[in-house]
Amino acid sequence: QVEVDGETITLFNTHLTSVGAPDSDAREDDPQAVQLADALAVVARYSGDGPTIFGGDFNTATTSSRASADVLNEGIEALGLEDAGAAAGTTSKYGFGSRIDYLLTTQFDTAAAYRMDAGTSDHAGVVVDLKLSTG
């Protein structure tokens, strides 16, 4: 947690494992779905009613047909998270054609969102300018 202008902001970061598609559609067979469910449970438990930022390398896309995408989309809705980095576009360099890195927030307005040059990384960095919501 950090304090900004008298407001306590709770921050969470994650880096989910990068694995191939599981052998079944069952959530328990998708390591990313399991990890993401655990991470979302931590966010739910510790975020409270104040501004929250949950970001990182999720290694799954909200548009995927995998169970991990279902868990991510359900968590975003259940926790009232906003996808602050959506305007940044795709972040994966290796043909996934999707965004697998996220900055999810509550009680913030997004002023700008963009990608940084990936350099030698397989992911482009996501930069988001946030402003605490006024209401």
Side-chain angles (χ1 to χ4, degrees):
Q1 292 183 317
V2 297
E3 189 170 311
V4 176
D5 296 332
E7 187 78 48
T8 299
I9 300 169
T10 305
L11 304 164
F12 302 90
N13 184 56
T14 193
H15 183 190
L16 302 181
T17 189
S18 177
V19 295
D23 292 334
S24 81
D25 291 336
R27 290 183 182 200
E28 62 271 10
D29 291 336
D30 185 337
Q32 290 165 328
V34 172
Q35 292 173 353
L36 193 49
D38 290 345
L40 287 162
V42 169
V43 172
R45 181 173 181 184
Y46 293 104
S47 61
D49 293 332
T52 300
I53 299 173
F54 176 35
D57 178 354
F58 288 46
N59 272 314
T60 195
T62 57
T63 57
S64 170
S65 61
R66 292 179 54 177
S68 55
D70 293 338
V71 172
L72 178 55
N73 287 313
E74 291 165 9
I76 289 171
E77 184 175 340
L79 297 176
L81 297 166
E82 297 288 329
D83 188 356
T90 62
T91 59
S92 175
K93 281 177 69 173
Y94 290 109
F96 300 111
S98 59
R99 200 160 47 90
I100 58 177
D101 305 276
Y102 294 89
L103 193 67
L104 307 171
T105 65
T106 63
Q107 301 180 36
F108 283 94
D109 295 319
T110 302
Y114 55 93
R115 285 183 310 229
M116 293 179 10
D117 179 13
T120 59
S121 175
D122 62 340
H123 295 246
V126 176
V127 178
V128 179
D129 294 330
L130 297 171
K131 181 179 178 183
L132 281 167
S133 293
T134 56

